[in-house]
Amino acid sequence: MNLHDVLNRAIENNRKWCSKGNVATYIPELSKANPCALGVSLCTWDGKIITAGDCDTPFTLQSISKICSLILALQDNGREKVFSKVGMEPTGDPFNSIVKLETLEPSPPLNPMINAGAIAVTSLIKGSDVDERLERLLTLIRAMADNNQIDVDWEVYTSERETGNRNRAMAYFLKDIGIIDGQVEEALDLYFKQCAIKITCQDLARMGLTLATQGIGPCGEIIIDPAIAKLAKTFMVTCGMYNASGEFAIRVGIPAKSGVSGSILAAVPHRMGIGVIGPSLDKKGNSIAGVHLLEELSREMKLSIF
Ligand code: DON
């Protein structure tokens, strides 16, 4: 069976899961997504894209952007500075949980993949203002995806900014305990914008390949320092699927990062990148059909890194 058939069959077999979850509604604009959609795109080692299912509808990066902001913050500041503001440990709590910020003594957020940690990381991105910082982040994402058209979805951004009170609360707490040094509102604004960057499955697949190749972009140029690409993939394994990362490692075994748009970015080291969209989410905020689909692909193509 060729790759096209493998993907088509995985879509057919797993679409049924869409009805078992729900589309995110806490960001009102995301509630407009089609809960029955399921699409997958795969970018092979030679840069070839293969797609199946509903791959043409764009969606927003949401938490997948946390990988890109971490890469840029590490490039801008180095490991020592970044990891003085955010930890390296999984939490076992939901992605937007506040509780450990205070109960573990006022201390850095546990990792860069939870919202509190991601906002702290975003505050480290260099640039004279939010526009310049966003442009630098877009430049990285466009290079990883080999797509200069990638931009912010302004409706989703506005929707996030108007309803992001929990993120706002965490950011002000981080300012209070000295984790955010600069302007809180600027860090939040960049965070809302990065989550609202609009992409497709094909973009995600190419971004996944860039990580899988240890930072070499689709056109052969070095986009990410190999040590940083390795670190990003390690966080994808330990915290990329939030408090379902352990189960995902066992069922799928591929470094991956999810977003509440129902998107998943997966990087199979030295083999391929995979992009998935399926807006219907499970209780922990991961694409319910998307996770099942990746489980099937991993089994069929022996993709687990373990
Ligand atoms: O800040 C938020 O809550 C969203 N913009 C992103 C969260 C997210 O994608 C979590 N994903 N599973």
Side-chain angles (χ1 to χ4, degrees), residues 20 43 88-89 104 110 132 139 191 201 219 221 279 286:
K20 308 265 186 249
C43 187
M88 301 182 187
E89 299 303 333
L104 288 181
L110 278 168
E132 189 180 315
T139 300
Y191 174 76
C201 275
C219 300
E221 71 286 19
N286 296 315

Side-chain angles (χ1 to χ4, degrees), residues 26-27 62-63 66 95 115 160 167 191 195 242 258-260 285:
Y26 76 101
I27 300 169
Q62 295 302 331
S63 283
K66 293 169 180 171
F95 62 85
N115 288 8
E160 291 222 38
N167 286 329
Y191 174 76
C195 289
Y242 299 104
S258 66
V260 283

Side-chain angles (χ1 to χ4, degrees), residues 61 64-76 125 132-148 150 197 203 206-207 210-211 215 217-218 221-225 228-229 232:
L61 272 178
I64 295 175
S65 68
K66 293 169 180 171
I67 291 291
C68 309
S69 51
L70 175 66
I71 291 170
L72 195 51
L74 283 164
Q75 284 179 182
D76 281 354
I125 292 174
E132 189 180 315
R133 286 170 222 148
L134 174 65
E135 207 47 47
R136 294 186 63 238
L137 190 58
L138 281 168
T139 300
L140 171 68
I141 293 168
R142 287 170 184 153
M144 288 174 75
D146 192 26
N147 178 0
N148 278 329
I150 292 176
I197 291 171
D203 295 325
R206 289 202 184 89
M207 290 167 74
T210 300
L211 290 166
E221 71 286 19
I222 296 173
I223 293 173
I224 305 165
D225 177 284
I228 295 180

Side-chain angles (χ1 to χ4, degrees), residues 60-125:
T60 49
L61 272 178
Q62 295 302 331
S63 283
I64 295 175
S65 68
K66 293 169 180 171
I67 291 291
C68 309
S69 51
L70 175 66
I71 291 170
L72 195 51
L74 283 164
Q75 284 179 182
D76 281 354
N77 301 277
R79 280 185 193 216
E80 202 178 322
K81 168 88 183 195
V82 171
F83 294 116
S84 69
K85 301 288 187 186
V86 69
M88 301 182 187
E89 299 303 333
T91 66
D93 297 326
F95 62 85
N96 56 1
S97 176
I98 293 183
V99 64
K100 286 202 173 120
L101 283 181
E102 199 181 27
T103 54
L104 288 181
E105 311 206 338
S107 65
L110 278 168
N111 70 65
M113 301 296 122
I114 51 172
N115 288 8
I119 295 167
V121 165
T122 291
S123 76
L124 295 171
I125 292 174

